[in-house]
Amino acid sequence: MHGFQIYPPIIAGIERTRKIIDNYCEKNPNADEYQVEDALENLKMITRKQLGLIELDSDLDIETVTEIFVRINSKGVVLSQADFAMSKIAANEIYNGSTIRKAIDYFCHLAVAPQFYSQIADIDSEFASTEYFRKMSWLKNENDDLYDPDYTDLLRVVFTSGFQRGKLADLVSLLSGRNFETRTYEEEIARDSFKKLEEGICEFINETNFKRFLMIIKSAGFISSSLVRSQNTLNFAYILYLALKTKSYNPAQIESYVRRWFVLSILTGRYSGSPESWFDHDIKNISKMDFGEYLNSVESAELSNTFFDVALVRSLETSFSTSPYFNVYLAAQVKLNDKGFLSRDITVKDLISHKGDIHHIFPKDYLKKYGLQKGQYNQVANYAYTQSEINIKIGNKAPEIYLNELKEQCNCQSLKYGGITDIDTLKENLRQNCIPESVFSMNTENYDEFLEQRRVLMARKIKEYYLSL
């Protein structure tokens, strides 16, 4: 559907309502003319709305002002520290605030909708002439959705990597010129903070930086946004990349460190709770010590053998296909170039890249027939990426039936399930998919035993994968 321009001329009274309605309905034949008219009338009413004004005492400190800003609104909508930071940036007329705010907004919009590029060029010619616009022009041909940051993500990454702080409230304070030691406000600090913010934004939106970072994440097996459920984990991985690059670490080291930290963060849920505190804690340690030493200390504390052999196995006891542990397992399969379940040539990477499906090793209908409930048959240890045509052939047969039929396929070379025609390839396929060979004799009575055995094998694969990063 064709939409209105960014700044509808109706608000400024340049065009008559009837003309706009006719033009819109001509471009959108299925549109309801009356709904369009109502929407435009509501839009026109914006200019007549009264804006409330709350005047705060000039003696209030920035934390109090921030708290008021975050909490106050008439609709109960929560306003974030990022919202406050954006308003602070936009309101500054001395240090290029309006242009900086546009750079943040436009980059985040273009990352999701590259076609927006031509609209910016046409409608905002002033911004289109800036260096910012030139630096983000590569996005007009970019369709990768692995990392689509919003303005909160961008501000977090820029602030934490550039200022070595993790709490966005501090950004507002610094842009106001606050001296944290003397608790006074100095114009020099505000000027330097805006300059550092601009430099950080340029590093963030730099095509080489952004694409190399994504290349590192993909090289860890995370080739699809479906495998990444924590935006803050991605944010800090980018922070780490930019911070290590600034400190002139060897590029090969940076790749390995970012991969390991990213996966470690997912496995431990490092940024799932109180992310700002962890951002602050980690960036301060990274800035004052060798990162290799810091990584080793965190690994020793959080990714011990007990974690992989006990805690991770227990964490895989879940029915959520979006589980971060299952996603790491799938990423491991991608990186290790594993084949899909019972596929001779098609890899898990192929299946994920082309939006393939996850299927049940013990078929769902088969288990339901014996009274198992959704939380039982949908265990992630019963999931595998499988070609749809193979899954259809399996139907609702027990593993002891369809896998023994596949054994016969290896003997007679008559294809029924995929293209595997020798027993060694079959056994290797089961190994790659963490399926115990005891499955050849398993039915519903052995289902719980199968899940226990497979969780152990999946955890071992994840450990093997992590150590290879």
Side-chain angles (χ1 to χ4, degrees), residues 129-171:
S129 66
T130 66
E131 186 67 10
Y132 277 123
F133 192 59
R134 187 191 68 77
K135 287 181 180 293
M136 66 177 70
S137 63
W138 61 273
L139 283 173
K140 64 184 176 183
N141 300 314
E142 185 63 32
N143 292 303
D144 195 319
D145 68 348
L146 180 60
Y147 183 40
D148 287 338
D150 60 21
Y151 65 85
T152 301
D153 301 319
L154 191 153
L155 284 174
R156 281 197 189 286
V157 173
V158 169
F159 179 60
T160 304
S161 61
F163 291 74
Q164 282 79 56
R165 292 174 176 269
K167 298 180 180 179
L168 275 180
D170 289 349
L171 173 59

Side-chain angles (χ1 to χ4, degrees), residues 390-407:
I390 294 176
N391 184 63
I392 291 170
K393 288 286 187 180
I394 290 172
N396 60 2
K397 301 184 186 78
E400 65 174 352
I401 295 176
Y402 72 80
L403 285 173
N404 280 292
E405 289 179 343
L406 211 149
K407 266 188 178 180

